[in-house]
Amino acid sequence: MNYLAVYPAPKGVPMLKDYRVRVRIGEGEWRELDTYLARVDMHHVREASVAYFDFCGRVECEIKVEKGEILNAKIRPVSAGISWQKEGNTLRFFLTKPAKLSVEINDDRFHNLHLFAGRTGNEEQEIFGENRGEKLIKTKVIEPSDEELDLAAAVESAEFCGGRRVICLAPGLHRLKENRCALPSDTTVFLSGGAVVLGGFLIEGQRNVTVAGHGIISLGHVKKETFLRGVDIRSSENIQLEGVIILNPAHYSVHLGGSSNLLIRDVKAFSCEGWSDGIDMMACENVRIEDVFLRNSDDCIAIYGGRFGFSGNTRNVAVKDAVLWADVAHPTMVGVHGDAKDGGSIIENISFENMDILEHHELQDDYLGCMTINVGDDNTVRNLSYKNIRVEQFERGKLLDLQVKWNKKYNEVPGKTIKNVVFEDIFYSGSGEHTSEINGFSDERKVEGVRFKNLVVRGVKVLKPEDGNIHIGEFAGDVHFE
């Protein structure tokens, strides 16, 4: 079945006109996409473009550069294998499956077009399942308004059906009261394609909450000092976040604290402030992060023990099918923070699988590493795997950094240990990186048990550390290449 869904942007939302983007199925009518403004890179904030649509079948994409001349072009990640044709100032290419792409003209990574081609947008079925019936009648649809939206009150007034309240935000602009809405248990909020929500969501001490859809959560209008997050999940369980785009929060795009049984899928997020990480978690269990695109001005994904008042361990975290772009700091970071006063946290059973790393640019030497495990606060980090990771040329950083260390800016004491880490099918195609480090802090605080299976750097399989520009220190043991 062929299907194409495009979503006009509502008035009042910042847009950018660097590109004209059109899509069509077969020889059908061209449909134009609106291009949103996303601010990127806190080093020197610039404006990039974001466009999205949903489809099923074979779609043709046309991108016209409105200013300047196309001398060369790249569509990344390279692993997507997108071939294109150029005619004047226009690129054309085809897609047959969902994709999250960066279209870069003349090697410009900062004024690029981020194009998100999603799965078909049959919204009624997504909200109500195969059997519409009574559920459709009892769904509360909220139309856009010029007034501030008291979404919490709207949720409270919605009827329960099958043990759940369902709110659908219709296409248009929705301004949340006080720029945030706290959601209660047993609630689904669906952002229709073309819906833009000004404000974020708080889920605290709740169960069975879903925020999903094809719309946008935008916080570019709030002040940095608010530290508002796109979605803030605290002390909750059975929470799902799916499909949305998050633009320019004042702090993290998604925060997870003291929570369990969490699913984050098909989320796209952009940030440009200091400490505006992508997805950060503290003291969480059973977390799945799937099919995400994160471009952030701090760590894209950070996994910690106790922090910010959330105490305990973090375990059973699976990240797969991700595209990560760290304009600042690390694409992935594990281990810095924990419960130092209580003997440290345990962070265990963590996996990263099938990822593309498009950028890593950090100016401070203590915070380098695409795949980083830096353990402080008496933490124990164990049983981690990195599989099928593709790292493209990055600006400044290391490929990996495994250290038990004492960062006195953040840690009361050094970390305890890193144990049992596997790197399998890791491919780095760039050059000029800083030397990777594997080392502990002392004889009592070591790194033990690191396996490299098919680490390929610049097309050569690495069988000894110097061939991969890796330094192994005196407090690291049982490190093997095969």
Side-chain angles (χ1 to χ4, degrees), residues 4 23-26 53 55 57-61 93-96:
L4 180 62
V23 293
R24 68 177 178 178
I25 297 286
F53 67 98
F55 79 106
R58 184 173 186 260
V59 65
E60 183 177 7
C61 304
F93 55 89
F94 291 91
L95 299 175
T96 58

Side-chain angles (χ1 to χ4, degrees), residues 1 12 36 40 66 85 105 154 191 321 386 401:
M1 180 184 72
Y36 292 83
V40 299
E66 297 288 34
Q85 293 183 332
I105 306 301
L191 281 64
D321 305 335
Y386 299 78
D401 191 55

Side-chain angles (χ1 to χ4, degrees), residues 363-384:
L363 301 179
Q364 302 175 86
D365 288 343
D366 287 340
Y367 303 98
L368 305 182
C370 290
M371 294 165 281
T372 294
I373 307 171
N374 283 175
V375 179
D377 281 348
D378 237 357
N379 291 341
T380 293
V381 174
R382 63 193 182 198
N383 304 332
L384 282 79

Side-chain angles (χ1 to χ4, degrees), residues 43 54-55 82 103:
H43 292 138
D54 295 307
F55 79 106
I82 305 298
V103 181

